Amino acid sequence: MYEIFDEFCWTKEQKTITRDKHGIRGLGNFAHWNLTSSLPPVPMHYHSNMLEMHCMIKGTRQNQIAKDGKISDYSTMSNQAFLTFPFEIHGTGDTPRYPCEFYSLQIDLTDPYHLFGLNRHFSFALHQKLTSLRHHQLVLGTTHIEELRSAFNLVSEDTPDTRMAGVQFLTCFLFCLQFLTPAQKSKTMVIDPHIRASMEYMRTHISEKLQLSELADIAGYSLSFFKVKFKKEVGITPAEYINLQKFEAAKKLLTETNQSITDIAYSLGFSSSGYFSSVFRRLATCTPQAYRKTYTPSMKNTI
């Protein structure tokens, strides 16, 4: 078991500001991720004296926590925060990191009296509030997301004035964590029944070439409203949801049947095996052939 710390990075999909770059006492890595393609799973690891948070903007992130010989699974959706505590063993299991957007930050709890430039009294008070948190998932409001977004944008500008302004937004966000509602692990998300009807249609007609206009009609909404409403309810676009459903179906066909890659592609409504392989690789970080070989090594590949 080991610790993992991302290095400084500034790309379209990953913007990670390391502590040696921002110089803010008590803050570890501060990052904004906007994944448009899947990444490999994160192996189980821990952080010494670090409270780590992943605050979801859109999409879903799967996480696991190992404790007392058991592994607990968490599915963190948009407008939720997932927290791991110092020395807590966690990762994403075998699940790739699917396309999503979130902010992540690490709070170094080693020194309770020197957090974010606060005086000793406020620093110790914040430290006490953070170390008394007990829930792994919290519900975020629009205000909390905007505070975090402002904090990251200001810190990333990398000037003394913007950095100090960013710290104010960040400490406000952190002090408010104590008031947030826990997101129950077993809680079932209530989705608009019209959107749910379109989702059910997608699942039962996954082998067809689904048209968004047709799905909008099923939901009883205009196409433009349907796309906006679907993303608000589910966290991803209808097209992304369709591809995820086809991806899950493809994994099952690859490991449980001898169908060729081409036959699987056409059975799931893809226009070609090449396009199918492209979508699959984006979501699984490997080709359909590699996935079949990895998860069903005794199966004869028929490509």
Side-chain angles (χ1 to χ4, degrees):
M1 197 61 58
Y2 53 93
E3 297 192 62
I4 296 177
F5 292 98
D6 294 320
E7 297 180 352
F8 176 81
C9 180
W10 201 263
T11 65
K12 184 177 181 180
E13 294 196 345
Q14 178 192 355
K15 295 177 173 62
T16 299
I17 311 171
T18 51
R19 65 168 71 200
D20 60 306
K21 297 292 184 181
H22 59 63
I24 300 170
R25 295 188 67 172
L27 180 64
N29 284 358
F30 195 8
H32 176 223
W33 294 72
N34 191 9
L35 301 178
T36 58
S37 58
S38 294
L39 293 178
V42 178
M44 300 300 273
H45 63 286
Y46 67 91
H47 299 296
S48 301
N49 299 315
M50 287 280 190
L51 170 66
E52 185 173 58
M53 281 175 274
H54 291 85
C55 303
M56 302 301 298
I57 308 300
K58 66 178 182 180
T60 302
R61 180 181 171 91
Q62 305 299 324
N63 294 282
Q64 291 185 336
I65 292 178
K67 186 176 182 180
D68 299 328
K70 299 179 181 179
I71 295 180
S72 299
D73 293 301
Y74 295 84
S75 182
T76 308
M77 299 175 288
S78 57
N79 293 327
Q80 291 183 351
F82 177 73
L83 283 65
T84 53
F85 303 108
F87 298 100
E88 197 163 49
I89 299 171
H90 61 283
T92 61
D94 295 327
T95 305
R97 289 171 283 173
Y98 295 132
C100 61
E101 181 184 3
F102 62 90
Y103 287 97
S104 67
L105 63 153
Q106 300 166 329
I107 310 301
D108 188 345
L109 300 173
T110 304
D111 185 352
Y113 294 106
H114 296 92
L115 291 176
F116 308 109
L118 298 170
N119 64 32
R120 289 175 62 87
H121 173 73
F122 281 101
S123 177
F124 184 75
L126 178 58
H127 186 275
Q128 291 294 97
K129 298 302 181 183
L130 294 176
T131 54
S132 65
L133 294 172
R134 293 292 179 265
H135 298 283
H136 286 101
Q137 288 181 301
L138 300 172
V139 178
L140 299 172
T142 302
T143 300
H144 308 120
I145 295 295
E146 290 307 313
E147 287 174 344
L148 202 53
R149 192 189 310 277
S150 296
F152 182 83
N153 290 341
L154 288 165
V155 169
S156 67
E157 289 186 24
D158 198 27
T159 69
D161 287 343
T162 59
R163 192 180 303 117
M164 285 189 288
V167 167
Q168 304 310 306
F169 280 101
L170 184 57
T171 53
C172 184
F173 169 80
L174 294 173
F175 266 114
C176 286
L177 290 177
Q178 61 185 304
F179 305 118
L180 299 185
T181 302
Q184 297 299 322
K185 183 181 173 184
S186 59
K187 182 179 179 181
T188 301
M189 182 175 60
V190 179
I191 297 176
D192 174 89
H194 303 286
I195 295 298
R196 191 165 62 244
S198 70
M199 295 170 68
E200 180 61 27
Y201 185 86
M202 293 181 204
R203 289 192 291 266
T204 56
H205 294 77
I206 199 64
S207 61
E208 301 174 13
K209 292 182 179 180
L210 298 169
Q211 302 294 326
L212 294 186
S213 57
E214 179 184 12
L215 297 172
D217 289 340
I218 291 170
Y221 294 136
S222 67
L223 178 58
S224 59
F225 183 81
F226 170 71
K227 291 190 288 186
V228 172
K229 183 69 172 176
F230 191 98
K231 186 172 183 179
K232 180 180 179 180
E233 292 287 317
V234 184
I236 55 178
T237 67
E240 290 170 333
Y241 184 82
I242 291 171
N243 279 337
L244 283 176
Q245 296 305 306
K246 290 182 181 291
F247 171 65
E248 293 299 327
K251 289 195 298 183
K252 188 173 182 179
L253 291 172
L254 286 167
T255 57
E256 296 181 6
T257 76
N258 283 312
Q259 291 185 54
S260 69
I261 303 300
T262 299
D263 286 345
I264 290 175
Y266 288 130
S267 73
L268 292 175
F270 287 93
S271 57
S272 69
S273 60
Y275 178 55
F276 164 66
S277 295
S278 175
V279 171
F280 191 94
R281 184 166 187 168
R282 179 169 61 85
L283 293 172
T285 70
C286 66
T287 64
Q289 295 93 328
Y291 186 89
R292 169 173 274 173
K293 183 177 181 180
T294 299
Y295 291 97
T296 54
S298 62
M299 181 177 290
K300 180 180 178 181
N301 289 341
T302 53
I303 302 172

